[in-house]
Amino acid sequence: MGFFSGVEYIRCPRQSYQQHHTNLNIFLDKARRSVLASLTGPLLPAVGNLKKLQNLVLASNMMTGTIPSEITQLTNLRQISAGPNLFKGSLPDDIGNLRNLRTIIIYVAALSGTIPPSFAELSSLDTVDFTLSGLGGTLPSFIGRLTTLTDLRLEYNRFFGQIPQSFDNLKSLCECSQNPDSSCERHLFSRT
C-alpha cells in the first residue's frame, strides 16, 4: 500500500481498460492521484491504510465479502459509492467515524441488519442511497437529525413500521424513495 499512500480518489468501474483480466486490475494515474480498477473478490482491510482517500468509488464491480470495519479509519472520505456489488454482512458499526462523508451509495447488495446508530454522527451527508441493499428493521429516527440530506433512497429493502416523525426535520430533502408497497404509513412530503 505504500505506493498508493498518496491516493485521494479510487474509481473502480466494471468496464476497465483491460476487460480480459478477471481479478484486480489497477491503473495509477499519478497526475490525478487516482486509481482505476475492475475488481472482484473482497475489499481488503488494508483499505484502512489509505488515510488521504476522499472518494471511494467501487461502482459496478463484482466485489464480495463484507465491508471491512477498517473503512471507518478513512476519516477524510467524502464519498463512498459501492453499488452494485455483491457485498454482504452489515454496515460497519463505527461508520459514524466518517464525519466528512457527504455521499454514501451502497445499492444492489446483499447486506443484512439495520442502519447502525453511529450513522447519526454523519451530519454532513447529503446523499444516502441504500436501494436494494438488503438492510431492514424499523427506520431509525436518528435519520431525521441528518438535516443536510437532499436525497434519501431506501426502497426495496426490509424496512417496516411507520416513518419516524423526526423525518419532518429533513427540510432540504428533494428526493426520497421508500418501498411502494411498504408498510411505512406516513408520506414524507405531507408537511407544508
Side-chain angles (χ1 to χ4, degrees), residues 30-179:
K30 290 182 181 179
R32 295 183 66 204
R33 299 179 73 164
S34 65
V35 175
L36 293 172
S38 178
L39 302 175
T40 59
L43 181 59
L44 299 176
V47 72
N49 296 332
L50 299 171
K51 303 295 185 198
K52 294 182 181 181
L53 193 64
Q54 293 182 8
N55 299 289
L56 179 60
V57 181
L58 303 170
S60 300
N61 285 289
M62 298 297 289
M63 298 192 72
T64 58
T66 61
I67 298 171
S69 61
E70 289 80 2
I71 202 168
T72 65
Q73 297 170 14
L74 303 177
T75 57
N76 289 314
L77 268 184
R78 297 176 62 127
Q79 174 187 17
I80 297 173
S81 181
N85 273 292
L86 303 173
F87 289 118
K88 62 181 180 179
S90 59
L91 291 174
D93 287 336
D94 294 331
I95 198 160
N97 290 347
L98 303 176
R99 298 235 164 74
N100 291 313
L101 199 62
R102 295 184 51 99
T103 301
I104 184 167
I105 300 171
I106 303 175
Y107 65 88
V108 188
L111 298 178
S112 58
T114 61
I115 298 173
S118 72
F119 201 82
E121 304 301 319
L122 301 176
S123 60
S124 296
L125 276 176
D126 57 37
T127 301
V128 173
D129 186 348
F130 290 143
T131 303
L132 277 167
S133 67
L135 295 172
T138 59
L139 289 171
S141 62
F142 59 70
I143 289 178
R145 296 195 311 243
L146 303 175
T147 57
T148 57
L149 275 178
T150 59
D151 191 351
L152 176 63
R153 297 172 185 267
L154 303 171
E155 65 260 62
Y156 303 106
N157 282 295
R158 297 182 198 124
F159 295 111
F160 59 86
Q162 292 188 349
I163 294 174
Q165 187 71 37
S166 64
F167 278 40
D168 284 341
N169 297 329
L170 302 175
K171 306 287 187 210
S172 299
L173 204 58
C174 297
E175 182 74 35
C176 184
S177 301
Q178 170 55 307
N179 298 2

